[in-house]
Amino acid sequence: MTEAVNGSSTARPTREKQRSLWGDVWIQFRAHRGAMVGVVVFTVIVLAVVFGPMIHTVDPTYADYRARNVSPSLDHPFGTDNLGRDMFAQVLAGGRVTLAVGFTAMAITITLGTLIGMLAGYFRRLDGVLMRMTDMFLALPQIPLLLVIMLVFRDSLRSLFGPEAGIFLLIVFVIGITTWMQTARIVRGEVLAIKEREFVLAAKSIGTREHRILLRHILPNVLSPIMVSATIGIANAIITESALSFLGLGFPPDFPTWGRLVVDGKDFMDLTPARVIWPGLAISLTVLSVNFIGDGLRDALDPRIRGR
Amino acid sequence: MKPMRSLLASAAVLALTGTGALAERGSDGQVNILYWQAVSILNPYLSGGTKETHASSVVLEPLVHYDPDGNMVPILVDEIPTVENGGVSEDLKSITWKLKEGILWSDGTPLTAEDVVFSGEYCTHPEGGCSSASFFTDVESFEALDDLTVKITFSVAKPFPYGPFVGAEVPILQKAQFKDCMGAKAPECTEQNFYPIGTGPFVVKEFKANDTIVYEANPNYRDPAKPAFQTVLFKGGGDAASAARAVLETGEFDYAWNLQVEPEILSQMAAAGKGEVMSSFGTNVERLMVNLTAVDPSLGPDLRSVYADGTNPHPFLSDPAVRRALSLAIDRDIIVEIGYGAAGKVTCNVLPAPEIYASTANDWCKTQDVAKANQLLDEAGWVRGSDGIREKDGVRLSILFQTSTNSVRQGTQALIKQMWAEIGVETELRNIEAAVFFGGDQSSPDTFQKFMSDIEMYTNNFPGTDPEQYMANWACTEIPGPNNQWLGDNVPRFCDPAYDALVQELAVTAGLDARAEIAKKLNDMLMDFGAMIPLVHRGNVSARSLTLGGVAMTSWDSEIWNIADWYRIK
């Protein structure tokens, strides 16, 4: 009995020692109900999009003329469009492209934005140059710029990587380089405030190198606005991609993406509502769940909220 | 039965005389018209756009309009001049028009022969950049013989002299208003171009470019009982589907133009019972243009899609077997059924109408024949590779297929891609914003004239009923390229001296039957060669409110040419 008590009391401190930053984050994250729902929904969507086409093996671009505007049935769970293409297969195929575009573009936005924001906020010498550059990018009108970049690089990328991969790279790159500015500004503001704090001073006074200070002490403290930017960035990328498709500058027209499916289906809203409901719902759920995950991560990463 | 019929007849007479007696200028309030492409100018001589032509036809009138059957209807004249009535000279080199007496401009001054002469000189001014100039081809002089008589002399015999001042594209302008707007000054006359004085049933009250036009009944219109409407609201903007909805479902508007929307959507909207979908068939043909020149991006700007005297042939579309197989593989019935419904008919000609010009020599294309198409390709040496795509000497049958952004067109693209896959042809689709594709911007590579793809799809037609100008589009001299700022009409880059000779012959041949014979031959040459692959003979589709009467939609002229006769059904 006593031994057992002793045993447990000696075990406790060792367990305490094993607690890491990310372990704490995970515990806090699990407590955030919205974030957990978000994780579940998002995982389901990703799994469906990745493995769905292996189970539902209908070709999304095959037009079955005899089965046009069909209501949902066993053969066609989401019905068909006006050319007789299976909507379920299109939503699954579209999801792959849309998610890939959304996440890759977001990654570019966040990387660029964080890098420029941290450098500008931390190094006074770079601040002026980098922020004027940010202002310049902000002043560029996005859509006309997109059109010009598309026109100039479309043919060369197409011959290098083929039509789909070429357009994918172009779209992701174009969205990434035209949306990093907000993130950079927010990060810079946060860094300006944090670098004057005592713990940074302490780190400096013991001779910590600047890149260590940036990565070890400042970055974790600005993670929460970055997370929020990231979740907004995904939604933004998905919407920009559909706007480009609408202008005829995105993917080829027979290449389904969620944005394009909504645009194509909008005229058929009365006739076959499934055409807009499913891809629309997919976009909303993805954006919403990513937002919740971001919210949970933000809370979990903030040491002042953690443990409350 | 008999009493019943006479009762009906008398009821009909009553109804007719009833409206006649009741009708009074401006008694029916306002009519609302919706064009989803907004109007930018009200002078058709300065804009080739259909919408501008239609909007200005409410104010400006030509001597003659075309009715829904393509017949000429005298508007500002009493009769159509012909050789028989002496109006056209025996040598076919001049035509003499006699204006109706007593016609006033909306400002109260009389219409005279001087105005007609002025309008001709306005458009034929060498610096004017008149978009209707093709209506005045070969005109040597305009002459006012007296106040009401105009003689137009041609430099060559004109078997079809009804180009000048026939149709809404070439109306009569008032000399007093436009006399300082000749030549290079024409586009600078904003006041004149936005508020033209006309002889038509309405006058412009307010014009907001690219937005709304408000017209008011013309107090000096020749028929005191017309127009029945006091004002016309002509709204521009939106898209085809919402325009259709505004007339058919919500009833906000009385008339909507050019509704290229999927047939099932239109019929569903029409089921609301507020309006009616109308279609009329003119000369519109949705066709695939086949690029006969090489377009590889590596070729550079001087050679890409440039004819270069035939030294730059397309790697596989220059093979007649490929062109024929591509056409045979298409099931046009399905395309019509899915994309057009009642607004389209299968066609195998680029010249589908009027009836006497329609050839039947190419009807092989009406039925899809995949087996024959495959056989043609096999015989020509195109063998399927491991991925099912045919190739020969390292050239793959891989097509880049572009068109403008429009859901019907993207649907057609997807169908054609699938049909071509069956004969081992790979297709990559591209859609381009209509404003760019049809914009003609010299600096953009995406215009239909530059044609930086293997195949492209769009609709073309010709105004009026005579195909001479239209068939001349495919002469060698019309090939677009850097040398003519890409302005030619011969988009497939087709060049055949025999064709050019036949075009010359058409220009000097009189007699409708002989002309029809040549026009058919020209059409057959193009079809047989496969320079274009016709798909659908498209009707114009518009919608009217069930309360709007008197509409006589025509494809040969401005759709709203008879707006003076419109009235409200009560």
Side-chain angles (χ1 to χ4, degrees):
Chain A
M1 213 32 195
T2 347
E3 272 171 18
V5 169
N6 279 345
S8 69
S9 67
T10 48
R12 198 166 281 145
T14 44
R15 210 187 290 150
E16 293 275 325
K17 236 184 260 168
Q18 279 170 353
R19 278 181 60 179
S20 66
L21 170 69
W22 293 106
D24 279 1
V25 167
W26 173 237
I27 291 166
Q28 175 66 27
F29 185 77
R30 269 205 345 225
H32 193 296
R33 193 171 299 154
M36 286 315 288
V37 174
V39 168
V40 172
V41 170
F42 187 66
T43 315
V44 168
I45 290 177
V46 170
L47 287 180
V49 158
V50 173
F51 297 107
M54 298 174 191
I55 302 161
H56 186 77
T57 51
V58 178
D59 178 358
T61 58
Y62 177 74
D64 181 0
Y65 316 135
R66 277 144 298 147
R68 303 199 308 265
N69 298 318
V70 169
S71 318
S73 65
L74 268 184
D75 283 348
H76 305 290
F78 290 177
T80 59
D81 67 7
N82 64 315
L83 300 183
R85 292 178 293 200
D86 183 70
M87 280 311 293
F88 188 49
Q90 289 198 69
V91 171
L92 291 178
R96 288 183 167 191
V97 185
T98 301
L99 289 182
V101 168
F103 278 88
T104 322
M106 178 270 285
I108 297 177
T109 304
I110 292 307
T111 315
L112 263 182
T114 309
L115 183 73
I116 291 174
M118 296 226 319
L119 292 180
Y122 194 78
F123 299 107
R124 188 171 293 237
R125 288 165 284 139
L126 293 177
D127 193 18
V129 181
L130 287 177
M131 280 300 113
R132 293 302 79 73
M133 191 177 85
T134 311
D135 289 342
M136 193 192 79
F137 270 89
L138 273 173
L140 288 175
Q142 194 188 9
I143 293 286
L145 180 72
L146 288 175
L147 301 189
V148 172
I149 296 181
M150 288 286 178
L151 275 188
V152 173
F153 295 106
R154 190 184 53 198
D155 281 336
S156 43
L157 277 174
R158 177 172 159 263
S159 48
L160 271 179
F161 300 102
E164 275 104 25
I167 288 283
F168 178 83
L169 287 177
L170 199 54
I171 286 183
V172 158
F173 171 75
V174 155
I175 296 178
I177 63 149
T178 51
T179 51
W180 55 268
M181 294 80 74
Q182 280 81 0
T183 314
R185 285 203 156 176
I186 296 167
V187 170
R188 171 181 172 269
E190 291 278 316
V191 171
L192 277 180
I194 286 169
K195 76 170 182 186
E196 304 299 336
R197 299 271 285 273
E198 291 79 359
F199 65 91
V200 179
L201 197 63
K204 269 189 193 159
S205 57
I206 58 168
T208 314
R209 299 231 174 146
E210 275 171 337
H211 68 94
R212 286 294 291 172
I213 296 180
L214 272 175
L215 289 178
R216 183 76 194 163
H217 298 284
I218 292 182
L219 183 60
N221 282 292
V222 295
L223 262 189
S224 39
I226 294 176
M227 285 296 162
V228 177
S229 296
T231 52
I232 294 171
I234 291 181
N236 192 24
I238 290 177
I239 288 159
T240 311
E241 185 277 315
S242 50
L244 282 178
S245 296
F246 187 69
L247 288 173
L249 289 154
F251 290 99
D254 59 332
F255 198 67
T257 66
W258 284 342
R260 179 180 286 282
L261 289 177
V262 174
V263 169
D264 287 351
K266 72 176 194 319
D267 290 343
F268 291 84
M269 215 147 31
D270 296 339
L271 198 67
T272 44
R275 280 188 69 175
V276 281
I277 290 176
W278 292 112
L281 198 67
I283 296 179
S284 314
L285 281 180
T286 308
V287 172
L288 204 63
S289 60
V290 170
N291 269 322
F292 267 114
I293 296 172
D295 203 32
L297 272 180
R298 188 185 62 95
D299 288 358
L301 284 168
D302 192 333
R304 280 155 298 184
I305 299 176
R306 199 187 309 148
R308 245 194 338 200
Chain B
M1 205 59 210
K2 209 176 174 196
M4 183 65 190
R5 200 186 299 158
S6 64
L7 200 72
L8 277 177
S10 56
V13 169
L14 255 178
L16 282 174
T17 51
T19 53
L22 278 174
E24 193 184 320
R25 178 175 294 160
S27 60
D28 281 353
Q30 175 162 304
V31 59
N32 299 317
I33 301 176
L34 181 58
Y35 271 46
W36 56 270
Q37 292 175 12
V39 176
S40 56
I41 196 169
L42 282 176
N43 181 351
Y45 288 117
L46 298 183
S47 159
T50 313
K51 53 196 192 311
E52 278 85 13
T53 306
H54 289 193
S56 46
S57 75
V58 173
V59 175
L60 300 168
E61 292 178 308
L63 299 178
V64 171
H65 267 308
Y66 286 103
D67 74 0
D69 300 321
N71 302 317
M72 286 190 266
V73 181
I75 299 292
L76 298 177
V77 293
D78 287 314
E79 62 170 358
I80 311 281
T82 57
V83 179
E84 287 76 44
N85 67 21
V88 177
S89 66
E90 287 291 339
D91 62 357
L92 306 174
K93 279 189 157 180
S94 74
I95 182 168
T96 309
W97 296 93
K98 276 198 88 70
L99 297 175
K100 233 180 233 177
E101 269 178 61
I103 291 183
L104 297 180
W105 293 98
S106 59
D107 63 0
T109 57
L111 167 78
T112 66
E114 282 299 326
D115 293 312
V116 182
V117 170
F118 172 79
S119 304
E121 285 165 355
Y122 176 84
C123 186
T124 50
H125 194 285
E127 289 161 26
C130 174
S131 62
S132 308
S134 68
F135 287 80
F136 296 98
T137 315
D138 300 327
V139 171
E140 204 170 65
S141 69
F142 307 94
E143 222 179 314
L145 299 182
D146 60 47
D147 265 2
L148 295 176
T149 315
V150 185
K151 184 178 175 194
I152 301 169
T153 313
F154 299 97
S155 57
V156 294
K158 271 278 166 186
F160 188 87
Y162 309 110
F165 312 120
V166 179
E169 289 89 351
V170 275
I172 310 300
L173 300 176
Q174 192 191 38
K175 182 178 183 182
Q177 189 189 16
F178 277 89
K179 61 178 185 297
D180 296 328
C181 301
M182 293 286 271
K185 275 182 285 178
E188 294 164 21
C189 291
T190 315
E191 176 68 22
Q192 284 86 343
N193 294 332
F194 282 9
Y195 295 92
I197 293 172
T199 54
F202 292 93
V203 291
V204 191
K205 187 179 170 199
E206 197 190 354
F207 179 74
K208 288 188 201 140
N210 295 319
D211 187 11
T212 332
I213 314 167
V214 180
Y215 304 93
E216 219 169 29
N218 173 2
N220 292 310
Y221 189 58
R222 53 188 174 272
D223 185 337
K226 286 174 180 175
F229 289 103
Q230 178 58 36
T231 51
V232 178
L233 174 74
F234 195 105
K235 174 95 181 99
D239 61 83
S242 51
R245 184 165 282 125
V247 171
L248 298 172
E249 249 179 41
T250 63
E252 294 160 88
F253 282 86
D254 297 304
Y255 191 92
W257 156 90
N258 191 9
L259 307 175
Q260 197 187 5
V261 185
E262 282 83 352
E264 58 262 54
I265 297 180
L266 272 187
S267 53
Q268 205 206 4
M269 286 178 183
K274 285 225 163 75
E276 178 195 43
V277 179
M278 305 173 294
S279 55
S280 72
F281 284 86
T283 54
N284 279 326
V285 174
E286 184 90 5
R287 79 285 296 276
L288 302 179
M289 291 290 185
V290 177
N291 199 340
L292 298 168
T293 59
V295 282
D296 194 57
S298 62
L299 282 174
D302 290 337
L303 217 49
R304 214 178 152 202
S305 200
V306 176
Y307 179 62
D309 294 324
T311 56
N312 187 30
H314 194 280
F316 56 87
L317 288 174
S318 50
D319 180 347
V322 174
R323 297 192 298 261
R324 178 62 63 105
L326 289 177
S327 180
L328 273 172
I330 296 173
D331 186 343
R332 291 167 174 80
D333 286 313
I334 287 287
I335 290 173
V336 168
E337 190 187 327
I338 292 181
Y340 297 87
K345 299 179 206 164
V346 168
T347 186
C348 294
N349 300 309
V350 281
L351 178 59
E355 201 57 45
I356 51 161
Y357 297 111
S359 165
T360 51
N362 313 298
D363 285 356
W364 51 265
C365 97
K366 281 190 174 168
T367 38
Q368 183 191 29
D369 194 342
V370 177
K372 175 102 177 286
N374 271 319
Q375 186 197 337
L376 274 175
L377 291 174
D378 287 338
E379 282 166 6
W382 297 94
V383 278
R384 283 179 193 263
S386 54
D387 56 352
I389 306 303
R390 290 175 186 273
E391 52 183 46
K392 181 164 107 177
D393 307 332
V395 177
R396 274 163 66 84
L397 292 186
S398 175
I399 288 174
L400 175 61
F401 176 13
Q402 70 181 18
T403 187
S404 68
T405 303
N406 172 300
S407 70
V408 174
R409 289 215 164 108
Q410 267 73 75
T412 308
Q413 274 187 308
L415 293 174
I416 289 177
K417 175 176 180 171
Q418 189 170 322
M419 291 162 185
W420 283 348
E422 288 180 43
I423 56 167
V425 174
E426 175 185 57
T427 315
E428 180 196 333
L429 306 183
R430 177 178 290 173
N431 58 326
I432 298 161
E433 163 70 9
V436 176
F437 190 59
F438 298 116
D441 183 358
Q442 301 291 329
S443 59
S444 169
D446 282 340
T447 61
F448 75 96
Q449 293 104 329
K450 284 204 180 171
F451 201 177
M452 298 295 180
S453 70
D454 304 306
I455 300 268
E456 68 183 2
M457 175 170 71
Y458 60 87
T459 284
N460 205 354
N461 67 352
F462 59 94
T465 55
D466 185 68
E468 184 184 322
Q469 287 296 326
Y470 179 64
M471 297 315 283
N473 279 349
W474 294 286
C476 299
T477 49
E478 286 288 318
I479 294 176
N483 54 326
N484 55 10
Q485 286 78 45
W486 303 91
L487 280 176
D489 287 311
N490 187 351
V491 172
R493 286 93 168 119
F494 168 82
C495 187
D496 182 351
Y499 185 89
D500 289 12
L502 213 51
V503 168
Q504 295 298 328
E505 197 185 328
L506 180 62
V508 294
T509 304
L512 212 53
D513 291 332
R515 290 175 68 76
E517 208 51 49
I518 298 175
K520 276 188 195 177
K521 227 187 262 176
L522 288 168
N523 172 72
D524 293 346
M525 279 175 88
L526 290 169
M527 295 301 97
D528 207 48
F529 184 84
M532 282 167 278
I533 301 177
L535 300 172
V536 182
H537 181 193
R538 278 178 57 186
N540 292 330
V541 183
S542 293
R544 72 170 178 99
S545 157
L546 290 180
T547 65
L548 183 65
V551 177
M553 181 186 170
T554 172
S555 288
W556 308 103
D557 206 316
S558 162
E559 265 182 32
I560 51 175
W561 65 287
N562 72 334
I563 194 165
D565 304 330
W566 290 11
Y567 57 92
R568 182 70 66 196
I569 301 170
K570 296 196 176 85

